[in-house]
Amino acid sequence: MPKKIKVGVVGCGYWGPNLIRNFRSLPDCHLKAMCDKQENRIAHLKSLYPEVHAATDYADMLNGVDVDAVIIATAVTSHFPLAKASLLAGKHTFIEKPMAASSAHCEELIDLAHKKGLVLMAAHTFLYSPVVQKIKEIVEQGDIGEIRYICARRLNLGLFQKDINVAWDLAPHDISIIQHILGEQPTTVNCRGSAHITPGVEDVTTMCLNYPRQRTAIIHSSWLDPRKVREMTIVGSKRMIVYDDCAPLEKIRVYDSRVERPPHYNTFAEFHYAYHYGDIYSPFVKQEEPLKTECQHFLDCINHGKTPLSDGNKGMELVRILEASSESLKLDGAPVHLANHFNNGHNSPPPHKPAAAEPHVPAARISGLKTSEPELKVRKHSSPDNPNVRMKIGANRYEP
């Protein structure tokens, strides 16, 4: 029988209570402590969970309570010092996204966890979603063909932050999903944005990740939209997937749609694009809370000595992309080459905060797929395709 892991949660503001609720519900966990510097927050949670030790001093929770693991759900700028103290105290450590304010800090935490033989996990919650796991399965089985590009939109009104911009706040969700699906690192990052409400803190950004084989991913993030949108489109050479995390039931739709160009032609008159419109298929996905699955995965990794799906290295890769996006923002959207950027040891903290001791962040083959002789429409194109010209594509779940 798995050992019960004694857990302490630090940070009881917006997201911490969800972690407390989920860890407390797991049979492999003994939620032993919760900590927040705000006395009113800790008093409220103590009224809900009177059996759990409550503290306003992190050192008290870390050293005065016998915990095996620490869950960090505080502001990004505090992730590194809290996680470092946890690892030095011999505690397995779970850190909310993004893992730290700089990749240099991530690297230090990874090295420390390795030396201590401890589990270090970055909370990339969507990787534990059954919907994202199903999308990954469909892609790996080759049903949509070669991925050409991905477009993600994560929009709503708020929640406005003062110490991080919208790219650091919302884009990590989409970046983690895209990295999981593509399984490789982007070569360059472009990012442009605007600060409409808080000077110097972008509330709308558009990020473009460029990958080998002319694949791109576009991420539109906004705190300044009238409705909540959580949508990702994955365009393949055979089919296309639309993932709508706000949909109550059919979160995944697979479109049997594509465009084909003639393999060869002799004259301009022979050049046509063929547009293929087929069926739409929505696979069944069992609804489970991704956060609960993620919390259980952390406990399993401790009990069985496994490496987390979203380990420290995955957390560092994501932070490196965010760092590159911050540099691109300062360069008015110019591309930042990740290989050169990081091989030169350039790990700049995000902009918009004054320099300080700690860097501050600116803010199956698908079974049952119908293929009923779809209509094939042909339309004459105005000019032959030029393989030397790159197309520019414009960007038009439960939210941790």
Side-chain angles (χ1 to χ4, degrees):
M1 185 174 179
K3 171 192 171 185
K4 272 205 169 191
I5 306 298
K6 292 170 284 187
V7 167
V9 177
V10 56
C12 302
Y14 171 62
W15 195 240
N18 293 315
L19 290 160
I20 289 170
R21 171 178 55 84
N22 276 281
F23 275 109
R24 185 172 177 271
S25 72
L26 298 173
D28 297 348
C29 177
H30 174 197
L31 181 64
K32 195 157 185 184
M34 49 193 179
C35 176
D36 196 283
K37 63 183 180 180
Q38 299 294 331
E39 292 185 2
N40 61 331
R41 289 300 306 159
I42 207 68
H44 171 67
L45 287 167
K46 184 66 175 175
S47 69
L48 298 176
Y49 312 111
E51 78 283 3
V52 181
H53 175 80
T56 54
D57 181 7
Y58 181 57
D60 174 44
M61 190 194 83
L62 201 59
N63 304 310
V65 183
D66 182 24
V67 295
D68 303 309
V70 171
I71 314 302
I72 298 171
T74 57
V76 177
T77 51
S78 66
H79 285 183
F80 173 71
L82 295 177
K84 184 175 180 179
S86 172
L87 292 168
L88 286 171
K91 316 298 182 185
H92 303 285
T93 305
F94 173 109
I95 313 173
E96 265 305 323
K97 61 81 189 170
M99 184 171 149
S102 76
S103 56
H105 282 170
C106 293
E107 191 167 8
E108 186 174 339
L109 295 176
I110 292 166
D111 290 343
L112 185 55
H114 179 71
K115 289 174 185 175
K116 293 276 189 176
L118 297 167
V119 173
L120 176 63
M121 179 166 158
H124 297 171
T125 308
F126 281 93
L127 303 192
Y128 303 90
S129 160
V131 178
V132 172
Q133 291 170 357
K134 186 64 177 180
I135 292 171
K136 174 77 168 172
E137 177 188 319
I138 293 169
V139 169
E140 287 185 339
Q141 289 169 345
D143 287 279
I144 68 168
E146 290 292 320
I147 292 178
R148 288 176 168 164
Y149 84 95
I150 298 174
C151 181
R153 298 189 300 149
R154 191 167 297 267
L155 324 169
N156 50 257
L157 192 61
L159 297 168
F160 280 83
Q161 312 287 325
K162 293 182 179 178
D163 61 335
I164 59 173
N165 66 20
V166 72
W168 280 74
D169 182 40
L170 297 183
H173 300 305
D174 298 306
I175 295 170
S176 64
I177 296 170
I178 291 165
Q179 293 292 96
H180 185 58
I181 291 170
L182 294 180
E184 62 182 343
Q185 297 303 303
T187 54
T188 62
V189 176
N190 303 70
C191 189
R192 300 194 70 169
S194 300
H196 301 94
I197 305 300
T198 305
V201 181
E202 291 84 4
D203 41 52
V204 180
T205 60
T206 301
M207 191 186 305
C208 183
L209 311 181
N210 301 290
Y211 291 85
R213 290 174 286 161
Q214 294 190 350
R215 300 194 294 181
T216 58
I218 299 158
I219 302 170
H220 180 198
S221 309
S222 174
W223 291 326
L224 204 57
D225 271 69
R227 63 193 181 96
K228 183 176 181 177
V229 176
R230 301 286 183 268
E231 187 178 271
M232 182 175 289
T233 302
I234 304 164
V235 175
S237 57
K238 296 179 184 177
R239 296 185 179 92
M240 306 177 187
I241 297 172
V242 174
Y243 163 32
D244 183 356
D245 198 60
C246 291
L249 293 173
E250 296 180 348
K251 292 182 181 291
I252 304 175
R253 290 192 174 188
V254 183
Y255 290 76
D256 186 17
S257 304
R258 62 184 176 272
V259 60
E260 297 169 345
R261 64 184 181 91
H264 57 81
Y265 53 92
N266 295 319
T267 66
F268 172 75
E270 293 176 356
F271 184 85
H272 299 82
Y273 279 133
Y275 296 89
H276 177 98
Y277 300 94
D279 295 319
I280 301 172
Y281 167 73
S282 185
F284 171 76
V285 178
K286 185 179 179 181
Q287 295 297 312
E288 295 175 351
E289 186 177 2
L291 183 58
K292 185 174 183 178
T293 304
E294 181 181 45
C295 294
Q296 183 62 60
H297 180 67
F298 178 60
L299 300 177
D300 290 342
C301 290
I302 295 171
N303 271 322
H304 304 293
K306 298 191 298 184
T307 300
L309 174 63
S310 52
D311 64 358
N313 287 310
K314 291 291 192 299
M316 181 171 64
E317 289 169 4
L318 191 149
V319 169
R320 285 180 169 176
I321 292 170
L322 292 174
E323 286 180 321
S325 76
S326 292
E327 184 164 336
S328 180
L329 274 170
K330 292 187 288 185
L331 298 172
D332 199 26
V336 174
H337 295 262
L338 278 115
N340 295 337
H341 186 67
F342 298 112
N343 286 342
N344 291 335
H346 184 77
N347 293 307
S348 60
H352 312 310
K353 295 289 281 184
E358 296 295 337
H360 290 266
V361 189
R365 206 50 66 199
I366 306 174
S367 58
L369 179 60
K370 297 179 181 178
T371 54
S372 53
E373 294 304 320
E375 179 185 5
L376 196 66
K377 295 186 179 180
V378 177
R379 184 182 301 165
K380 193 169 183 179
H381 196 269
S382 58
S383 63
D385 182 34
N386 183 345
N388 295 318
V389 176
R390 261 191 172 173
M391 185 179 292
K392 265 190 183 174
I393 306 168
N396 10 12
R397 85 148 229 178
Y398 185 35
E399 167 62 21

